[in-house]
Amino acid sequence: NGTPTAGRRTNNEPLQRFTEAKKHMGIIYNDLESYVNDLFTFYKELGDTSKLVPQQQMDEVRRFQESIRTIKEMFGRDKMKVVFFGRTSNGKSTVINAMLHSKILPQGMGHTTSCFLQVEGGSENEKSFIVEGSDRKRPISELEKIGDALSLSGGDDPRLTNSAIHDTLVSIFYPKSSSKLLQNEVVLVDSPGVDLKPEYDTWIDKHCLDADLFVLVCNSESTLTQAEKSFFSRVSKKLSKPNVFILNNRWDASAGDAQAEKVRKQHEKRFQEFLEELNVCKKEEEAKKRIFFISAREVLEKRLRLSQAYQLDGWAIREQNFNEFERNFEQCISRSAIRTKFEAHEHRARDILRDMRENVENVSQLALREKQRLELDFKLKHKEFQDCRNNFIRLEESFFNERRKVREEVHLKVSADFYE
Ligand code: GDP
């Protein structure tokens, strides 16, 4: 529209579109809910006084109310979800921390993520986590220990097997205000390394079917492994056209290497082919917008403003690449989430409106037929009444005549008697 703010572009804009779409969806469904509630009250009153509303139509309105309630709850929970995959120690946790501008996830050679760690926006000052299957919120300071604790004890559920532990979801809540992503309802999920040879299908079914985007974090010092390839092949089989970004992390290792450009081109070509195989995109230019050569460690340390931030030759280009990845990521995730999550709700709202119109039309047809019947009934009754009235008038007339006659006779008789 033409308002002065409408044309203003901010860095936040693509992500905000999702929150705005959610707000609009809320308005649509609130309106719809009040129409349905009004209709229900109207039908109920009508039903009580005239029995004009058939049970079928009444039940349907109750079903509309339930569907609207369920959908409202559903999109109230909807968030944009990105899942990070890759081999252990490729830097998945470091990438997530860099994107969140905070060291939230444990990272380091000693630590390997042994379960799914999901970071989402919580209330102000909230820094806690919950292990799947438990309601207990724990302080985030205990997170470092959770990997070991889960592997040793099976978490809060002693029956958990090793592979079930890798499936376990740990939800971390961090203040929304701490990052643009958390503020705009992005949920970031870190996964155990794909080299752990998990049950890929179970992982995908449990954690990926509602994902809007996947980020494959690779180690630019080595080539794509079979484990990484197999995992994403399964993803693309289950989700027909997955949204995938590829990060060649640890690209700082190439600093000062005369062969770096050649290696970069080789990686790029291989990854383009891989994205085509996965049916993510078809054109080379599209693929280029999804492949980045970065150093998450450099970006994180710079963003944490560490005085001795780790920065090797060429860090500015790697940083630029990371920023570009984030820009493309934001656009892509909000577009995909709006399409996959809200399009269905919007169609459902239209369906409910259409069914509601049909429902009202059915009841009003019935009411019209009833009105015609009553009018006919009235006409018949009216005719009966008219006939009755005419008969009565006739009767009355004959009665008066009779009475007059009798009176005259009596009068004659009385006067005759009198004068006799
Ligand atoms: P994950 O197992 O994939 O989550 O890997 P982490 O994020 O825990 O990282 C493993 C180790 O690699 C940590 O010590 C990180 O500091 C280090 N690391 C991560 N990213 C980079 C990077 O871009 N360059 C370098 N040199 N080290 C990195």
Side-chain angles (χ1 to χ4, degrees), residues 85-97 103 105-113 117 190-193 195 217-221 248-253 294-301 310 312 318:
F85 287 102
R87 267 178 298 147
T88 312
S89 291
N90 278 2
K92 298 179 291 298
S93 316
T94 314
V95 170
I96 295 176
N97 286 341
K103 223 168 179 170
L105 297 179
Q107 57 182 71
M109 298 307 282
H111 173 83
T112 52
T113 311
L117 290 171
D190 193 4
S191 62
D195 46 328
V217 182
C218 301
N219 181 349
S220 59
E221 292 165 277
N248 287 278
N249 193 33
R250 296 171 165 270
W251 190 234
D252 50 285
I294 57 147
S295 167
R297 181 175 165 188
E298 284 175 339
V299 175
L300 175 64
E301 293 198 6
Y310 173 87
L312 300 185
R318 290 188 289 279

Side-chain angles (χ1 to χ4, degrees), residues 126-143 145-146 149-150 153 155-157 169-173:
E126 183 175 15
K127 292 184 180 175
S128 58
F129 71 91
I130 294 179
V131 181
E132 186 182 349
S134 152
D135 293 332
R136 189 156 75 90
K137 276 201 171 175
R138 310 174 197 219
I140 203 150
S141 51
E142 290 179 16
L143 191 62
K145 291 185 266 167
I146 198 67
L150 271 174
S153 69
D156 286 359
D157 185 347
L169 180 71
V170 173
S171 303
I172 302 167
F173 302 94

Side-chain angles (χ1 to χ4, degrees), residues 255-267:
D257 183 350
Q259 300 291 311
E261 192 47 28
K262 201 172 137 205
V263 176
R264 198 180 73 85
K265 287 221 157 73
Q266 281 171 358
H267 276 319

Side-chain angles (χ1 to χ4, degrees), residues 354-366:
R354 188 204 52 220
D355 293 349
M356 215 161 108
R357 199 177 311 130
E358 261 174 39
N359 183 301
V360 172
E361 267 165 23
N362 284 339
V363 175
S364 70
Q365 285 290 330
L366 209 81

Side-chain angles (χ1 to χ4, degrees), residues 22-39:
K22 193 167 170 173
K23 219 186 288 166
H24 279 294
M25 203 49 71
I27 294 171
I28 292 173
Y29 270 87
N30 281 343
D31 282 351
L32 201 57
E33 191 171 41
S34 69
Y35 298 146
V36 176
N37 288 347
D38 283 353
L39 185 66

